[in-house]
Amino acid sequence: MEGKSSGPSCSGLNLVAHPRAKSKVWKYFGFDTDADGCILHWKRIYCRVCMSQIAYSGNTSNLSYHLEKNHPVEFSEFVKSNTDQMREAFATAFSRIKTEPLGLHVQQQSQDTNLRQSLGYENRRHNDLTAAVINFICEGLYPVSVVEELTFKTLMSTVDPGYSPPSKSDLVVKMLPQMYCRTRDMVFSELSGVVNCGVTTDLWQSQTQNRTYISLSMHSVNYNNTTGFSMTNKCLKTFEVQEDNTAENITRAMYETFVEWGITHKVTGATTNGSVDIVKACSLLELSVEMPCLGHTINRAMDEAFQLPRVDSFLGCCRKLVDHFREPAMYLLREKQKQHGLAQCALITDRGRSWLATLAMLQRLKEQQVAVTATLLESSSTHHFSFDGPDWALLEGLTEVLQPFKAVANMIASCRYPTISMVRPVLHMLLNNTLKAKEGDLKEVSMAKEVISKVLSSTYSQNSQLSQEISTFLNIATFLDPRYKKLPFLSTQERSKVENNIIEEAKAILEKQNAERSCLDDFSLVSDEPPSKKQTPLREASSVTQDNPLAAIFCQSDTDQSQEELHAQVVEELSNYKSQRVLGLNEDPLLWWSSHAPLFPTFPKVLQKYWCVPAMSVPGHRLFSSSGTVLCGKRNRIAPSLVDQQVFLYENSRSYYEPEPCEDDLDNVWEANCCLGQPLE
């Protein structure tokens, strides 16, 4: 197809407009032609102003956008010429209405309507695609530079050839900040009714940038008369931790965040990973409780146990054993699995992974003990390798120690309600059952138990004043859980102390309510009667009471009478709570409180104060699976200037309990195929 030149040549190029061009925008663009005036490439257009090459896909959206962005003067001319053209078209159409038959006018009107609808649909679709791109970046925690990658552009071109995704600069300067502001307003509205909240600090490192950050989140338990109790978990701020005066910088950043979000006087306590600087910052902020993270404590205990020389050496032998069963030993292992009726699955290694991966490795070896032993006896390549009776006994002993911890990790990670009430029962079970020394324990197992027990007990001990506050807080939180309210792990004296603490907390809430009600009554006390007439009956009654000789014995001050009434009311509420049936261990305590809250005037408010502090500083699935590793990889690729906005949008666009897709899923698929003896495609 040919086209004759319709404009000046620039820089040696002979540019022509589209032969069927109707838009005024072609005044500023054209195709390159050869000496005969034939268009050389129908997908390449050049700007007559700056000679930039622009992709062309059949419509002029890219051309208009290029003018608007790079040549404002020419764009103004284009808009003006378009306006003049529309006026002329309107005048012509108006004159035809008077002269043309009605049927022809209706047909033309229908065509115009179809055209407008078509253009409107295209614009809406492009807007939807842009919104999808923004959500893709925010909810997937992708770097904004992804829009400049060729593969991404190819993907979007496949979706819609006429669509141009937003540029990196548009995302950084306009779109992400707008998304952040909208989400921030939504979070603000959700936090407006919060009375008590807890905060958590997630300390993480961006290894690619050699920077350290803290993501600060808030948590609350809210009550609504219609829906009952619900939990709110929101990320508030992510800030960089400077190397100098670390604790002071963290304190300042946390305090500024509290002020910014209006929760300065609502924070009950903080749950941290035990970092010295973060703990010091919480102390400087004078938070009422600084709760250790149960998940980090368990992970630290396991790390110390695995570093014991004998245990470390044994685990190294297990890894060598797993590595040995690669090709060709794997085929011999498969034959032995068939002979002994065992599942045909590969052995598992734990290199570079958590203690849960170590447990999985030990469990798989235990399951395949018969096949592994038979293979080692027959294989000619294992004369230098031994894994005999004592090794299998140690493997079984370590597995027995780790299995209850896995059950605890699964239980906490699967909870959709506050887990702070579970800490004391879990610690009691682990310290007094799982880690209790047994007569037949191997030396290595006894040493591992001792190390793990020492870490757990020292973290939650009652030796220091701070630890006593943590212990008291945990006991009250546990008592308020209808599953654990019997507190069987405490002595009678300790249970009585917990109940007294609950009574004092409830009385304080009632006193505050009465004081607020009294203030409201004082403000609303408006009457046309003179004050003397209103107060006369009260004074008369008072004088009569004072004249009675028994007044000294039976008449108490209003303050004493009020205190006694409050105490009696709270004691009755406590008795009512204790008389309720004990909830099943697998039932939802928050659901129970939602249905029973009307029976208890003050206890639900005490519950909101204590249950808002989480047991762990990050969601359980990030500590006890490779989900956390996946998240670290995502956060590593974010530009420092966008860390706060992107982490905020990512965390608040998803459920707090939703795990990231991780390598564990791929491992399960791989193992399933191995069990079937099929190659993984």
Side-chain angles (χ1 to χ4, degrees), residues 497-516:
K497 184 179 178 181
V498 172
E499 292 180 8
N500 289 334
N501 288 332
I502 290 280
I503 290 173
E504 293 303 316
E505 288 277 0
K507 284 170 62 178
I509 290 173
L510 285 176
E511 288 173 358
K512 183 179 179 181
Q513 288 177 344
N514 291 342
E516 291 174 351

Side-chain angles (χ1 to χ4, degrees), residues 240-506:
E240 185 177 355
V241 179
Q242 305 295 335
E243 294 183 2
D244 299 330
N245 302 320
T246 304
E248 288 74 13
N249 289 330
I250 294 174
T251 304
R252 186 182 304 107
M254 290 178 66
Y255 179 74
E256 289 173 354
T257 304
F258 292 170
V259 173
E260 177 185 354
W261 289 91
I263 60 172
T264 308
H265 304 293
K266 299 179 180 181
V267 180
T268 299
T271 306
T272 73
N273 67 346
S275 166
V276 175
D277 291 316
I278 296 179
V279 171
K280 183 179 178 182
C282 293
S283 178
L284 292 173
L285 288 168
E286 298 182 348
L287 301 182
S288 57
V289 63
E290 299 154 29
M291 187 64 59
C293 172
L294 180 61
H296 279 104
T297 303
I298 291 176
N299 287 348
R300 180 161 53 88
M302 293 300 173
D303 288 342
E304 293 191 17
F306 290 170
Q307 289 173 11
L308 291 169
R310 293 191 179 186
V311 176
D312 183 49
S313 175
F314 171 73
L315 293 177
C317 290
C318 292
R319 295 181 188 108
K320 288 180 181 178
L321 180 62
V322 172
D323 290 341
H324 172 74
F325 283 97
R326 307 293 180 188
E327 297 181 8
M330 180 180 66
Y331 298 104
L332 184 56
L333 176 64
R334 290 283 174 84
E335 291 299 321
K336 296 302 178 184
Q337 288 172 338
K338 289 180 182 178
Q339 291 177 13
H340 294 89
L342 299 175
Q344 296 184 50
C345 49
L347 301 182
I348 302 173
T349 187
D350 69 337
R351 294 187 184 280
R353 300 171 71 182
S354 70
W355 61 269
L356 281 164
T358 302
L359 173 60
M361 177 181 70
L362 299 180
Q363 286 177 321
R364 180 60 58 84
L365 283 171
K366 179 61 180 174
E367 292 169 5
Q368 300 293 330
Q369 179 178 352
V370 176
V372 169
T373 303
T375 305
L376 290 175
L377 289 173
E378 286 192 18
S379 177
S380 59
S381 61
T382 59
H383 59 277
H384 64 283
F385 193 88
S386 64
F387 202 89
D388 46 25
D391 295 314
W392 289 111
L394 179 53
L395 184 148
E396 186 173 356
L398 289 176
T399 302
E400 289 180 359
V401 173
L402 298 179
Q403 278 178 331
F405 284 90
K406 179 182 179 181
V408 168
N410 290 340
M411 181 172 61
I412 292 177
S414 63
C415 282
R416 296 296 183 268
Y417 46 79
T419 54
I420 190 68
S421 62
M422 301 168 63
V423 175
R424 285 289 286 168
V426 162
L427 288 174
H428 180 79
M429 181 271 294
L430 293 174
L431 293 171
N432 293 276
N433 295 337
T434 304
L435 301 174
K436 192 172 183 179
K438 297 178 182 177
E439 186 175 344
D441 284 344
L442 295 174
K443 187 173 182 180
E444 293 86 351
V445 174
S446 297
M447 294 169 63
K449 284 184 176 181
E450 184 179 350
V451 168
I452 297 172
S453 179
K454 183 179 179 181
V455 173
L456 294 181
S457 57
S458 62
T459 303
Y460 293 94
S461 68
Q462 302 184 38
N463 297 332
S464 65
Q465 178 65 32
L466 179 62
S467 297
Q468 287 178 4
E469 293 174 358
I470 293 173
S471 181
T472 300
F473 190 95
L474 290 174
N475 287 338
I476 294 175
T478 304
F479 178 77
L480 291 171
D481 192 323
R483 300 173 296 175
Y484 313 130
K485 63 181 178 180
K486 296 292 185 183
L487 302 178
F489 46 83
L490 298 182
S491 65
T492 304
Q493 183 179 359
E494 289 172 328
R495 285 196 292 270
S496 178
K497 184 179 178 181
V498 172
E499 292 180 8
N500 289 334
N501 288 332
I502 290 280
I503 290 173
E504 293 303 316
E505 288 277 0

Side-chain angles (χ1 to χ4, degrees), residues 566-592:
L566 290 180
H567 186 81
Q569 180 180 340
V570 173
V571 169
E572 182 181 358
E573 189 173 346
L574 175 65
S575 177
N576 184 16
Y577 174 67
K578 292 172 65 177
S579 67
Q580 301 288 326
R581 76 172 182 90
V582 176
L583 202 62
L585 292 177
N586 294 325
E587 295 185 66
D588 186 339
L590 206 60
L591 190 61
W592 184 91

Side-chain angles (χ1 to χ4, degrees), residues 134-135 138-139 175-191 233-236 260-261 644-654:
I134 297 171
N135 289 335
C138 295
E139 297 177 15
M175 296 178 179
L176 279 182
Q178 288 175 350
M179 186 82 165
Y180 174 80
C181 289
R182 287 196 298 269
T183 307
R184 192 172 182 274
D185 291 342
M186 292 171 59
V187 174
F188 251 121
S189 64
E190 287 189 51
L191 303 190
N233 307 282
K234 296 296 179 184
C235 177
L236 302 182
E260 177 185 354
W261 289 91
D644 180 33
Q645 288 186 13
Q646 285 207 250
V647 172
F648 178 87
L649 291 170
Y650 174 78
E651 297 290 0
N652 293 322
S653 67
R654 58 195 291 112

